[in-house]
Amino acid sequence: MKSSELFTRTFKQAPAEEVSKNAQLLIRAGYVYKVMAGVYAYTPLGLRVIENIKQIVREEMNAIGGQELIMSSLQRRETWEATGRWDDEVVDIWFKSKLKDGTDVGFGWSHEEAIIEMLKTFLSSYKELPINVYQFQTKLRNELRAKSGIMRGREFIMKDMYSCSVNAEQHEAFYQSSIEAYKKVFERVGLGENTYVTFASGGAFTQYSHEFQTICDAGEDKIYMVPSTGEAFNEEVAPAKAPALDSQEDQKPLEVIDEPGVIGVAAICKQFDLRPNQTTKTMLYKADDGTVVAAVVRGDYDVNEDKLKAVLGASRVRLLDEDTIGQLTGAELGYAGILNLPDTVRLVVDEACEGLVNFETGANHTGQHAVQVNWERDVPRPETFYDIKTVKEGDRHPDSGEVYTIHKTAEVGNIFNFGIQKSKDTNFVFTDENGGQQYVHLGSYGIGVTRLMGVMAENFSDEKGLVWPDAVAPFRVYLARLGDDEAVVRSADTLYEELMHEGIEVLYDDTDRRPGEKFADADLLGMPHRIIVSPKTVAADQYEYKKRTEQSSTTVSKDDLKMLLTR
Ligand code: ATP
Ligand code: MG
């Protein structure tokens, strides 16, 4: 394509209110146009990047048996009611509207329910399974924060795939093949080395789901990695062993202190001259089976509700409200602790509390805290200590004993096993060999296509602009002629035609702008290869060639040039 035919141009500055690097660069280079916060349009250049990413994803999804389709953006209320997710409290990113006759409609933020509904009209027998379908869809989400440029849009392109299997084994085999397919996608776009398969929470009947997390400063996530193996966990699930405190202190006498109004770890530390790791935090929960639980972590940690649920075998835990706490312990909120805890409450204590000596805990009386508390002497020592805390810096991976390294990351994809839960909720069944009815095993598999483009803009760029890898660049070559000398124009035009003829995509800057502007554009636009045709190169019957990733250019013949550009 010729620059003179491209309607976009480059800008010296991005809009002042745009804070993210990826959007700043992409706007300046004319790849995206900002409509409003979290909403971006893609120009021909941007669209080419998206299409290149999509094609790579498409090839890898097809290779594992995916069938491409496209669902609608408007969705029925009833579709989501079956699984209880029409509720704004459950899915807080809904955009909704009404038809003129008052019928509710939702704007598709995800499609698993809608796809199940559609597949139900086709699937009857086990002979038709497995079915794996995917689409590239513009998802609409009322995201609360939209400060990460195209990495978190209110409108963004996702590849979502859904697998339907006859049983757990068939599901598992597909799930594993999807992990391999995802790895290939991220390798092909040049992010393989920096993308980690990460354990994440969720998954019906499985302890974990998996996320694909790419190391990226602008990412909104954090992963905890075992240095020697590269095994990675997200913050929600990372098993954690606190560093040992090695307290050699002698036990001091228990003191219960009346100091009303001292609530929370910070205030307690100040009032009683303690460090947070000498205090405890007690949170009272009710599990879905009615069990009331006191979850206790050291004062420098937080309770991780996912881990607590796993310990209890509960699918839901809810913090008790102030009134219920009052009825249960007789104390106001803020004074719950291990001392004087009613027998009806199950005590679940985090492992970081095991070695505590002379620690602080609430006394379950309004205004009272206990200090210099010791296990056994003052409160019964739990038979088992659990890991119910949210991991933090300095913690170890319990199995290997290694201290985690922490990385800022962006979630570029995730995969999820629904088991048969969603099929039960939606009555998604098939007839098995014996004529019986069985629930379909379901999985879902997402990749954030536009987020991936944003991560690439973040990770593949320098102070001068974008640095696209060959696999996704909108054009592989940026060709510029310097000046309008007849021989120069002829040489550049000819080269352009020849490269196009060989299937090498070229953006040809055929304008009469100054060389400095063309060089600056070449860097900002970020095509992997730059070729310059000037009076000097024409005189020598050569071309000036430079890779975007390299600092200096070389002079090469046409044959060499074609060799350099052949993949
Ligand atoms: P996040 O935790 O980042 O909000 P999510 O858990 O909501 O992601 P899914 O709904 O499972 O993600 O979507 C699948 C993929 O779509 C994600 O892995 C991510 O790459 C991408 N994605 C999710 N939300 C956005 C968004 N607002 N803008 C761009 N990409 C997104
Ligand atoms: Mg989200």
Side-chain angles (χ1 to χ4, degrees):
M1 183 170 206
K2 293 181 177 169
S3 292
S4 57
E5 291 163 2
L6 191 65
F7 77 84
T8 57
R9 63 173 173 91
T10 56
F11 299 91
K12 287 240 152 45
Q13 301 276 320
E17 83 285 357
E18 181 59 70
V19 290
S20 91
K21 177 166 107 181
N22 66 79
Q24 283 179 356
L25 279 171
L26 292 166
I27 292 170
R28 282 185 50 214
Y31 284 72
V32 308
Y33 164 74
K34 185 174 189 175
V35 178
M36 60 178 113
V39 182
Y40 299 88
Y42 293 82
T43 68
L45 287 175
L47 184 60
R48 277 174 166 260
V49 177
I50 289 181
E51 291 301 326
N52 288 340
I53 296 173
K54 277 167 68 175
Q55 188 53 27
I56 290 170
V57 175
R58 179 178 286 126
E59 285 168 16
E60 298 304 337
M61 296 307 108
N62 289 349
I64 56 170
Q67 300 183 48
E68 188 171 348
L69 51 75
I70 185 150
M71 299 297 292
S72 64
S73 290
L74 291 183
Q75 298 180 334
R76 290 167 351 109
R77 172 188 181 135
E78 295 74 24
T79 308
W80 291 91
E81 275 177 342
T83 54
R85 296 210 288 174
W86 177 255
D87 192 344
D88 295 317
E89 304 263 297
V90 180
V91 179
D92 58 0
I93 48 170
W94 268 118
F95 279 118
K96 291 174 181 167
S97 188
K98 282 185 196 301
L99 302 181
K100 296 257 185 206
D101 68 3
T103 309
D104 284 316
V105 289
F107 297 164
W109 64 278
S110 183
H111 281 79
E112 48 265 38
E113 271 76 347
I115 281 196
I116 291 170
E117 202 170 74
M118 186 267 300
L119 288 175
K120 273 162 81 172
T121 65
F122 292 98
L123 175 67
S124 50
S125 154
Y126 71 95
K127 290 183 196 144
E128 289 145 9
L129 291 172
I131 297 173
N132 306 305
V133 294
Y134 73 94
Q135 62 173 347
F136 296 96
Q137 248 271 350
T138 298
K139 307 288 185 210
L140 299 161
R141 294 188 178 182
N142 202 348
E143 300 279 2
L144 205 60
R145 285 173 308 129
K147 296 211 179 301
S148 300
I150 66 165
M151 289 170 62
R152 182 172 298 284
R154 298 203 163 95
E155 197 179 314
F156 64 95
I157 300 174
M158 188 199 290
K159 183 281 303 179
D160 43 332
M161 177 159 70
Y162 304 90
S163 69
C164 308
S165 305
V166 283
N167 54 31
E169 292 74 59
Q170 194 176 68
H171 167 83
E172 187 55 25
F174 186 77
Y175 192 89
Q176 289 306 327
S177 72
S178 79
I179 293 183
E180 295 310 314
Y182 271 42
K183 284 186 188 163
K184 285 188 194 149
V185 167
F186 299 122
E187 252 159 50
R188 288 180 63 182
V189 300
L191 290 170
E193 268 178 29
N194 286 322
T195 302
Y196 290 86
V197 186
T198 303
F199 291 101
S201 69
F205 305 109
T206 46
Q207 191 186 356
Y208 294 120
S209 68
H210 291 94
E211 291 172 348
F212 290 77
Q213 295 276 5
T214 306
I215 295 179
C216 177
D217 282 342
E220 294 179 16
D221 290 0
K222 243 194 236 170
I223 62 170
Y224 287 72
M225 198 185 299
V226 181
S228 70
T229 60
E231 193 178 14
F233 299 86
N234 79 7
E235 200 166 39
E236 287 164 48
V237 303
K241 191 164 170 23
L245 284 178
D246 282 337
S247 172
Q248 303 297 330
E249 256 178 67
D250 290 333
Q251 291 192 359
K252 296 180 189 158
L254 171 71
E255 282 183 35
V256 177
I257 306 175
D258 228 324
E259 196 69 61
V262 180
I263 291 176
V265 173
I268 288 166
C269 285
K270 194 162 166 228
Q271 184 69 34
F272 305 121
D273 193 21
L274 296 169
R275 292 185 312 272
N277 65 17
Q278 296 172 302
T279 71
T280 61
K281 236 186 240 176
T282 302
M283 313 291 279
L284 294 167
Y285 287 94
K286 192 173 211 164
D288 44 1
D289 67 356
T291 313
V292 175
V293 183
V296 181
V297 292
R298 221 167 62 188
D300 53 336
Y301 283 96
D302 291 313
V303 174
N304 179 316
E305 293 185 1
D306 282 324
K307 289 184 180 178
L308 180 64
K309 281 193 287 192
V311 168
L312 299 172
S315 56
R316 225 170 150 170
V317 291
R318 215 164 17 87
L319 274 175
L320 294 188
D321 60 40
E322 197 164 355
D323 289 346
T324 318
I325 292 175
Q327 286 158 21
L328 188 76
T329 65
E332 285 173 16
L333 193 69
Y335 302 98
I338 308 168
L339 203 67
N340 307 316
L341 197 66
D343 292 344
T344 50
V345 179
R346 177 169 170 196
L347 188 64
V348 176
V349 184
D350 184 74
E351 59 88 31
C353 301
E354 187 169 1
L356 288 179
V357 177
N358 300 324
F359 60 93
E360 175 281 342
T361 187
N364 293 305
H365 286 298
T366 300
Q368 290 190 351
H369 295 278
V371 294
Q372 293 163 195
V373 181
N374 285 286
W375 295 117
E376 246 162 82
R377 188 193 68 183
D378 309 319
V379 289
R381 172 185 288 276
E383 268 176 40
T384 314
F385 288 86
Y386 299 92
D387 171 18
I388 56 161
K389 63 188 163 311
T390 299
V391 68
K392 66 172 189 168
E393 194 175 351
D395 285 353
R396 289 173 193 278
H397 174 243
D399 290 347
S400 65
E402 291 178 48
V403 177
Y404 287 115
T405 50
I406 304 173
H407 304 270
K408 275 189 92 176
T409 54
E411 182 194 314
V412 289
N414 62 14
I415 60 175
F416 206 84
N417 175 9
F418 288 118
I420 55 169
Q421 189 56 50
K422 210 171 261 298
S423 300
K424 276 186 173 166
D425 294 343
T426 55
N427 196 34
F428 186 27
V429 294
F430 65 94
T431 311
D432 65 18
E433 293 104 308
N434 308 316
Q437 296 262 289
Q438 299 254 8
Y439 289 112
V440 177
H441 282 256
L442 280 169
S444 81
Y445 311 80
I447 289 182
V449 172
T450 40
R451 179 175 293 178
L452 202 51
M453 178 174 170
V455 169
M456 294 173 89
E458 293 279 341
N459 285 11
F460 302 146
S461 53
D462 58 21
E463 67 292 344
K464 291 180 178 156
L466 297 154
V467 188
W468 296 113
D470 276 88
V472 304
F475 296 93
R476 291 185 59 221
V477 176
Y478 184 88
L479 167 66
R481 62 169 170 77
L482 307 187
D484 57 357
D485 187 275
E486 199 185 315
V488 169
V489 175
R490 195 174 338 108
S491 167
D493 283 357
T494 309
L495 182 66
Y496 174 62
E497 295 299 334
E498 283 180 19
L499 292 178
M500 295 288 282
H501 186 72
E502 300 202 8
I504 297 168
E505 307 215 289
V506 181
L507 181 63
Y508 174 24
D509 192 338
D510 59 338
T511 64
D512 291 329
R513 296 183 306 154
R514 285 183 292 113
E517 290 178 283
K518 295 194 176 188
F519 288 127
D521 266 13
D523 284 336
L524 179 56
L525 290 165
M527 305 319 157
H529 310 270
R530 188 189 79 184
I531 303 171
I532 303 291
V533 178
S534 66
K536 209 170 77 191
T537 65
V538 170
D541 195 20
Q542 300 269 309
Y543 300 88
E544 187 191 310
Y545 169 81
K546 186 178 96 67
K547 278 199 170 122
R548 177 63 179 85
T549 49
E550 288 169 359
Q551 291 310 317
S552 50
S553 58
T554 51
T555 311
V556 295
S557 68
K558 188 177 279 181
D559 285 346
D560 287 348
L561 201 54
K562 287 184 182 169
M563 286 250 294
L564 286 165
L565 296 173
T566 318
R567 284 190 233 219

